[in-house]
Amino acid sequence: MAGKRNESEPAYALLARQLRQDIAAGRYDNGARLPTESELSERYEVSRQTVRRAFVDLVAAGTVYRVPGRGTFVNESGGRYLRQQGSIEDLMNLSHDTTMEVVQQLRRRVDVEAAGRLRLDSDVVYTVVFRRIHDGIPFVLTTVHLPEEVARLIIDAPEMAQGAVSTYTVIGLLERHLSTPIAEAAQSITVDQADDLDVLHLNCEPGRPVLRIDRLYTDSNGVISELSVSHFLPEHYTYRVTLYRDRG
């Protein structure tokens, strides 16, 4: 079975996690029927009882629904981009089914607020602004702020140039160059209003409500490597997180 398994993680939980990742990555379209219990049992070399228990978890989370006599189907998301996230790897893998288009290339600037949130000694940060597109529709505009020493690791990367289009995430580009890996992403979710950049690049009306998600990425030494601020169009985006009971 794909994915790393913790020794304490039951087989059904691992299978449920794998199926959630497959759905989020677009392997199964909205409304698509999943393989049968027998097919999944053979594919992942687990018992049908394990598959059945994984389906129970997915139904409870609202990821799929079951129709007696017909099978198990992926829940419709109303045409919105669906992202399920539960790990740093999930955030980095956002690029797998979307594209990133840079609308303001990575550059040096003075930003007191961003520098303060990055806990820098000076007010200088490096900032890149990009939108992310799914099925031809721009659904989020993100501003990423980086400390100078971090920005210099990718400032010459072609993916950071004005107008560049790629399948990367900024944190995904960065981590291969960092001496200490990212260990934590602190996230806050609020409601904001569309600003001038949103109007220009997301084709929306000024002042309309948008979903704002801020993330601070910290390495295993406790050093903040990135601050991202994203404005999502709620009609084109669904955010889902599955919470698990602490087995400790």
Side-chain angles (χ1 to χ4, degrees):
M1 191 181 302
K4 295 181 179 179
R5 176 178 178 180
N6 299 324
E7 292 186 1
S8 61
E9 185 176 28
Y12 75 82
L14 179 64
L15 177 59
R17 176 156 60 90
Q18 178 64 56
L19 291 173
R20 283 196 301 272
Q21 291 172 352
D22 289 346
I23 292 168
R27 190 163 299 172
Y28 302 106
D29 292 333
N30 293 331
R33 184 175 70 85
L34 291 176
T36 65
E37 290 180 1
S38 178
E39 290 168 338
L40 289 172
S41 174
E42 181 177 350
R43 179 181 304 177
Y44 292 107
E45 299 181 346
V46 296
S47 69
R48 292 187 63 175
Q49 180 61 33
T50 294
V51 177
R52 194 169 298 121
R53 182 65 179 84
F55 277 162
V56 168
D57 277 17
L58 294 175
V59 170
T63 307
V64 303
Y65 64 94
R66 308 199 75 176
V67 178
R70 292 186 56 203
T72 303
F73 299 83
V74 178
N75 261 326
E76 299 282 350
S77 65
R80 293 175 291 179
Y81 178 65
L82 172 65
R83 172 51 56 185
Q84 299 189 129
Q85 295 167 344
S87 68
I88 298 294
E89 287 74 18
D90 289 341
L91 294 176
M92 293 182 178
N93 289 337
L94 180 67
S95 59
H96 286 182
D97 50 359
T98 68
T99 55
M100 176 178 72
E101 179 185 352
V102 175
V103 299
Q104 290 184 6
Q105 70 185 55
L106 185 60
R107 60 187 175 88
R108 185 180 186 273
R109 63 194 294 260
V110 173
D111 190 315
V112 176
E113 181 183 354
R117 296 183 67 183
L118 288 168
R119 302 177 189 171
L120 301 179
D121 294 330
S122 76
D123 296 332
V124 174
V125 299
Y126 279 70
T127 301
V128 60
V129 182
F130 59 87
R131 63 180 183 175
R132 199 164 284 282
I133 299 169
H134 176 67
D135 285 345
I137 299 174
F139 65 94
V140 57
L141 189 72
T142 298
T143 301
V144 168
H145 305 286
L146 304 171
E148 182 173 3
E149 63 273 15
V150 174
R152 292 198 177 280
L153 298 173
I154 60 171
I155 195 166
D156 294 325
E159 295 84 2
M160 292 292 96
Q162 184 75 24
V165 177
S166 70
T167 56
Y168 282 92
T169 60
V170 174
I171 197 65
L173 276 173
L174 275 175
E175 192 171 56
R176 70 185 69 178
H177 301 291
L178 296 175
S179 57
T180 306
I182 298 297
E184 178 182 291
Q187 176 172 278
S188 63
I189 303 176
T190 58
V191 175
D192 207 342
Q193 292 184 331
D195 58 24
D196 291 343
L197 281 177
D198 296 325
V199 172
L200 179 61
H201 298 293
L202 296 181
N203 304 316
C204 65
E205 62 274 17
R208 61 147 300 168
V210 291
L211 180 68
R212 172 172 170 163
I213 299 182
D214 292 21
R215 295 191 184 104
L216 275 174
Y217 294 88
T218 306
D219 68 23
S220 54
N221 289 330
V223 178
I224 298 176
S225 299
E226 176 186 322
L227 164 65
S228 71
V229 179
S230 298
H231 282 179
F232 291 85
L233 296 179
E235 67 269 29
H236 295 308
Y237 184 74
T238 296
Y239 182 87
R240 180 180 293 157
V241 176
T242 301
L243 305 177
Y244 296 95
R245 185 178 295 277
D246 186 357
R247 297 185 179 92

